[in-house]
Amino acid sequence: MSAAATMAGLSKAPGAFTITPHKLSICILIQVYAPPSQSSVPFPFSSVTQHNLLGSFLLSLTKSSEDIFEPKLDELVAQLREIGGVLNHWLSDHLARKLSSLVSPDDLFNFFNDLRGILGGSDSNVVDDDQIILDPSSNLGVFVRRCLLAFNLLSFEAVCHLLTNVATYCKESLSTYELSHFNESDSDTKAPMHYENMDLEILVVENVKKEIESRNVVDERPSFHNHAPKALVRAIEDHDFSPGPQVRKISKPREVGACASSSRDVSDPDDSPSGAFLRTNWQIQGYLLEQADMIERQGSSFPLNAFESVLKDLLKLAPELHRVHFLRYLNSLYHQDYHTALENIHRYFDYSAGTEGCDFASSSSTGCNSFGRYEIALLCLGMMHFHFGHPKQALEVLTEAVRVSQQQNNDSCLAYTLAAICKLLSEFGVSNMRGLIGSSYSPVTSIGTSLSTQQLLYVLLRRSLKRAESLKLKRLVASNHLAMAKFDLTQVQRPLLSFGPKASMKLATCPTNVCKELRLSSHLINEYGDEASLMISDGDFCTQWIKNLKKPKGSVVFSQENECRSNTDAFQFCGQPCSIPGSVLQLLGSSYLFRATAWEVYGSSPLARMNALLYATCFADSSSLDDVALAYGKLIQHLAVFKGYREAFAALKLAEEKFVSLSKSQIQLVKLQLLHDHALHTGNLKLAQQLCDELGVLASSVTGVDIEIKVEASLRHARILIAANQFSQAAAVAHSLFSMCYKFSLQVENATVLLLIAEIHKRSGNAVLGIPYALASLSFCKSFNLDLLKASATLTLAELWLSLGSSHAKRALALIHGAFPVLLGHGGLELRARAFITEAKCYLADSSFSVCEEPEMVLEPLRQASEDLELLQYHKLAAEAFYLMAIVYDKLGQLDHREAAAKSFRKHITTLESSDI
């Protein structure tokens, strides 16, 4: 679970609903959508489809009306342009004319009086079927009623202030829509100027101060955040407000202006914030939560300094807003600033005691108030150490969090802490964790101290899942199911008892269990499928839906994203507003990303590609950039393995442009891997070694951190030594790598290392020594259901048998034919080419086989192998294929074909020698 998801629950204090020019614009459009006493398709709509399209758009606008940033008039009209079609100009002109007609308080009164007429009354059930009546209990009806109530509560000064805001709201879009009514030379502007000359800003401020003071004494009605009036007073004291002939833009409170500039900087640097409206506590907290989600999704690409300055301004204006410290912590965390992150997480819990909006069930203990949320502070500190690659410190802090959670009876925090410990053990596998866990977590101690790290991890996973289910922490349940799927994929479940009677257990993984856990993790989406869950939305998702109007439809993963399309039909409006929380979508996407990884391990390339493509297409917007980069990396690797380097490098170029802001991403790792494979295939060993060194630099120097990168670098270093015929050094690297994999219980990697050792013995001419390693690798593959790696090990075993002499040709051929379904169905270009060449060698070595009688049995696989190897530019193996073809053509007496094959053989040998210089 991410840090912001863990701390996601906001204490949502209700805020005052205020009338703004943007809400007035929505009301004007609602009047167009539901005019009183009109037919089912009112003017100016020509079809029900057009009418329903505007209704869906208005529904999203009303749900997003409480966002901290309200769109300007030109932005609203731009959104209308995407859905209006032929009605675009009429809707825009009508909106502009209606806004320009609001020049006096009487105009506003008449407007809201007419607006009341579109609501249906108690007898609305007896009207004609074709008549449009807006249901007062519908989303649009509730919005209209809230606007009417808010307007009725306005004082005369506030109404005049609203008129000034409407004038400013329209004038900012004057250049776009040519609202001549607001031209400076127009005499009609005298009306709003008259009210502006009354210095109503100061009157409104005094009125607000008196109103809030009276509210604090008389009642407890919802009010603005308590720091807003102070900020407004300070802003007014710093400026000399003198009446003038021009419509003046009211100075915005600095907290809101700073937030607005930050959001605009992220989305559109050239866009300036509009409107001078106070923001409620709920809106400020929502803004901070939105920024926390953006930090976790964008990671190191999120603007550090700009957002840091915004947070500092917020702290100056509202020192009691302690969540700002947590945002500063997240910002520093994802920019790898350890000291600043540690300082801010300490400040957050020092100032707020962790009580400001934590997403945990209330503790059953009443004594926890004296300690605040110390256990949650320890949980966050442990996850910070985990992020920075400090496994020992993280484990110590998390076990202390377990102890404090038990003392305070904080079951929710205990469940999250156990899940964090499971993730830590799964990623790093700390060797001395039994003593640390056993001293703090008594249920584990009761099992016994003879458990291995993997057995204890399994126990903690099961108990964490059971605790999350009992507490009904749905997102944690889904996350635990994903962790169980990962355990079932990479670990064999062994008996917990080492003595006494025990049931027999097959020491092998079960793909069925993996699929079951993945399916259970996806059930979380069902909790948000009913209408009741959709109505809980606070508007964030509808805002995102409106922003997605400008996204072109039919885009592929590796398409150019800077193409502009002017056709309105090319925009994706068919999707409905999505009210599923972002953290839920992220968990759902993680299940598909893990499915891709699981099918890679099991050896089904088509299913792995399908799940990676589904993730990159459907969940990219709700996931972190690192996870999206991982999905792109899988697709690029698939292209390299099955289509060759040309298409892979083309896709890599597009991916680099998309993830250029990530300093250390999966795309950079994939690039080094592709370049290294290409250098090995072309015979450029010096370049291959440089790339291997760069790959090793990406891994952390801390033991147990970045194990996958370290294993990958060692494997590639050993392959370089094999290509250089330095077999003894390659064997030393392979044996050292096997010891490291055994230490950290990397069973799947052990199968690959054993196969590498068998390859070393085969290349060095010691086939007899290589056969046991190939058989051991086969045993690992069967235990973990690694079908493609099993087929590759079978191919290596066949090559070893063939190396022992022609008497073993039939045995080798039988092994190859048994592995052909998997090799040809799921293997890449290199693996298929190796199988074809080995099959041809078996036929040629078999004394009972006659090349002259059945030449195509040998030539056809050699042709397929040569085509695949030329796509990969694998010169050494391609030269071997053409050499065998030349021999066959020579036996057949086809001299022309023999010379062509010999010429291709010399070409590849020459290229290989030139690359090696």
Short mmCIF file of all heavy atoms in Angstrom, two decimals, residues 196-216:
data_model
loop_
_atom_site.label_atom_id
_atom_site.label_comp_id
_atom_site.label_asym_id
_atom_site.label_seq_id
_atom_site.Cartn_x
_atom_site.Cartn_y
_atom_site.Cartn_z
N GLU A 196 -18.90 48.99 -7.75
CA GLU A 196 -17.49 48.83 -7.41
C GLU A 196 -16.96 50.06 -6.68
O GLU A 196 -16.10 49.97 -5.82
CB GLU A 196 -16.69 48.60 -8.69
CG GLU A 196 -15.24 48.20 -8.48
CD GLU A 196 -15.12 46.84 -7.80
OE1 GLU A 196 -16.07 46.05 -7.91
OE2 GLU A 196 -14.10 46.61 -7.14
N ASN A 197 -17.48 51.24 -7.01
CA ASN A 197 -16.99 52.46 -6.38
C ASN A 197 -17.38 52.56 -4.91
O ASN A 197 -16.96 53.48 -4.21
CB ASN A 197 -17.56 53.68 -7.12
CG ASN A 197 -16.95 53.82 -8.50
OD1 ASN A 197 -15.87 53.31 -8.74
ND2 ASN A 197 -17.66 54.50 -9.40
N MET A 198 -18.19 51.67 -4.44
CA MET A 198 -18.64 51.72 -3.06
C MET A 198 -17.62 51.10 -2.11
O MET A 198 -17.89 50.98 -0.92
CB MET A 198 -19.98 50.99 -2.91
CG MET A 198 -21.12 51.62 -3.70
SD MET A 198 -22.60 50.60 -3.71
CE MET A 198 -22.96 50.55 -1.96
N ASP A 199 -16.44 50.69 -2.63
CA ASP A 199 -15.43 50.01 -1.79
C ASP A 199 -16.06 48.82 -1.07
O ASP A 199 -15.90 48.62 0.13
CB ASP A 199 -14.81 50.95 -0.76
CG ASP A 199 -13.75 51.84 -1.39
OD1 ASP A 199 -13.30 51.47 -2.49
OD2 ASP A 199 -13.38 52.85 -0.79
N LEU A 200 -16.78 48.01 -1.87
CA LEU A 200 -17.50 46.90 -1.26
C LEU A 200 -16.57 45.81 -0.75
O LEU A 200 -16.97 45.00 0.09
CB LEU A 200 -18.47 46.30 -2.28
CG LEU A 200 -19.64 47.21 -2.64
CD1 LEU A 200 -20.48 46.57 -3.73
CD2 LEU A 200 -20.49 47.48 -1.41
N GLU A 201 -15.34 45.79 -1.25
CA GLU A 201 -14.43 44.76 -0.77
C GLU A 201 -14.21 44.89 0.73
O GLU A 201 -14.23 43.90 1.49
CB GLU A 201 -13.08 44.85 -1.50
CG GLU A 201 -13.15 44.50 -2.99
CD GLU A 201 -13.46 45.72 -3.82
OE1 GLU A 201 -13.87 46.73 -3.21
OE2 GLU A 201 -13.30 45.67 -5.05
N ILE A 202 -13.98 46.15 1.17
CA ILE A 202 -13.72 46.36 2.60
C ILE A 202 -14.98 46.05 3.39
O ILE A 202 -14.93 45.47 4.49
CB ILE A 202 -13.25 47.80 2.84
CG1 ILE A 202 -11.95 48.06 2.04
CG2 ILE A 202 -13.03 48.07 4.31
CD1 ILE A 202 -11.44 49.47 2.17
N LEU A 203 -16.15 46.44 2.84
CA LEU A 203 -17.39 46.16 3.55
C LEU A 203 -17.62 44.65 3.67
O LEU A 203 -18.08 44.15 4.71
CB LEU A 203 -18.57 46.80 2.80
CG LEU A 203 -18.57 48.33 2.78
CD1 LEU A 203 -19.74 48.83 1.94
CD2 LEU A 203 -18.65 48.90 4.19
N VAL A 204 -17.31 43.92 2.61
CA VAL A 204 -17.50 42.47 2.65
C VAL A 204 -16.58 41.84 3.67
O VAL A 204 -16.96 40.93 4.42
CB VAL A 204 -17.26 41.87 1.25
CG1 VAL A 204 -17.22 40.35 1.33
CG2 VAL A 204 -18.38 42.30 0.31
N VAL A 205 -15.32 42.34 3.72
CA VAL A 205 -14.38 41.78 4.69
C VAL A 205 -14.87 41.99 6.11
O VAL A 205 -14.86 41.09 6.96
CB VAL A 205 -12.98 42.38 4.49
CG1 VAL A 205 -12.06 42.00 5.65
CG2 VAL A 205 -12.40 41.91 3.18
N GLU A 206 -15.33 43.24 6.39
CA GLU A 206 -15.83 43.51 7.73
C GLU A 206 -17.07 42.66 8.03
O GLU A 206 -17.24 42.16 9.14
CB GLU A 206 -16.16 45.00 7.85
CG GLU A 206 -14.93 45.91 7.75
CD GLU A 206 -15.31 47.38 7.79
OE1 GLU A 206 -16.53 47.65 7.76
OE2 GLU A 206 -14.40 48.23 7.83
N ASN A 207 -17.91 42.50 7.01
CA ASN A 207 -19.11 41.70 7.21
C ASN A 207 -18.75 40.24 7.48
O ASN A 207 -19.36 39.59 8.35
CB ASN A 207 -19.99 41.80 5.96
CG ASN A 207 -21.30 41.06 6.14
OD1 ASN A 207 -22.08 41.36 7.04
ND2 ASN A 207 -21.54 40.07 5.29
N VAL A 208 -17.76 39.74 6.75
CA VAL A 208 -17.34 38.35 6.96
C VAL A 208 -16.76 38.17 8.36
O VAL A 208 -17.02 37.19 9.05
CB VAL A 208 -16.31 37.93 5.88
CG1 VAL A 208 -15.68 36.60 6.24
CG2 VAL A 208 -16.99 37.83 4.53
N LYS A 209 -15.96 39.14 8.81
CA LYS A 209 -15.37 39.05 10.15
C LYS A 209 -16.46 39.02 11.22
O LYS A 209 -16.44 38.21 12.14
CB LYS A 209 -14.43 40.21 10.39
CG LYS A 209 -13.14 40.16 9.57
CD LYS A 209 -12.31 41.40 9.77
CE LYS A 209 -11.86 41.53 11.21
NZ LYS A 209 -11.02 42.73 11.41
N LYS A 210 -17.43 39.93 11.08
CA LYS A 210 -18.51 39.96 12.07
C LYS A 210 -19.34 38.69 12.04
O LYS A 210 -19.73 38.14 13.07
CB LYS A 210 -19.41 41.18 11.81
CG LYS A 210 -18.73 42.52 12.03
CD LYS A 210 -19.68 43.66 11.70
CE LYS A 210 -19.00 45.02 11.88
NZ LYS A 210 -19.90 46.14 11.52
N GLU A 211 -19.57 38.20 10.82
CA GLU A 211 -20.39 37.00 10.68
C GLU A 211 -19.72 35.79 11.31
O GLU A 211 -20.35 35.00 12.03
CB GLU A 211 -20.68 36.74 9.20
CG GLU A 211 -21.56 35.50 8.96
CD GLU A 211 -21.79 35.25 7.48
OE1 GLU A 211 -21.30 36.08 6.68
OE2 GLU A 211 -22.43 34.25 7.17
N ILE A 212 -18.42 35.64 11.08
CA ILE A 212 -17.71 34.48 11.63
C ILE A 212 -17.61 34.59 13.14
O ILE A 212 -17.71 33.60 13.87
CB ILE A 212 -16.33 34.35 10.98
CG1 ILE A 212 -16.51 33.96 9.50
CG2 ILE A 212 -15.46 33.34 11.70
CD1 ILE A 212 -15.23 33.77 8.75
N GLU A 213 -17.38 35.82 13.64
CA GLU A 213 -17.33 35.98 15.09
C GLU A 213 -18.68 35.62 15.72
O GLU A 213 -18.75 34.97 16.76
CB GLU A 213 -16.96 37.43 15.43
CG GLU A 213 -15.51 37.78 15.09
CD GLU A 213 -15.22 39.25 15.34
OE1 GLU A 213 -16.17 39.97 15.73
OE2 GLU A 213 -14.06 39.67 15.15
N SER A 214 -19.75 36.03 15.06
CA SER A 214 -21.06 35.70 15.60
C SER A 214 -21.36 34.21 15.50
O SER A 214 -21.98 33.63 16.39
CB SER A 214 -22.14 36.49 14.85
OG SER A 214 -22.14 36.12 13.48
N ARG A 215 -20.87 33.61 14.43
CA ARG A 215 -21.09 32.17 14.28
C ARG A 215 -20.35 31.38 15.35
O ARG A 215 -20.84 30.36 15.85
CB ARG A 215 -20.62 31.70 12.90
CG ARG A 215 -21.54 32.10 11.77
CD ARG A 215 -21.07 31.53 10.46
NE ARG A 215 -21.95 31.90 9.38
CZ ARG A 215 -21.80 31.47 8.12
NH1 ARG A 215 -20.79 30.69 7.82
NH2 ARG A 215 -22.65 31.84 7.19
N ASN A 216 -19.16 31.84 15.71
CA ASN A 216 -18.41 31.14 16.75
C ASN A 216 -19.12 31.19 18.09
O ASN A 216 -18.93 30.33 18.95
CB ASN A 216 -17.01 31.73 16.89
CG ASN A 216 -16.16 31.46 15.67
OD1 ASN A 216 -16.40 30.49 14.96
ND2 ASN A 216 -15.19 32.32 15.41
#
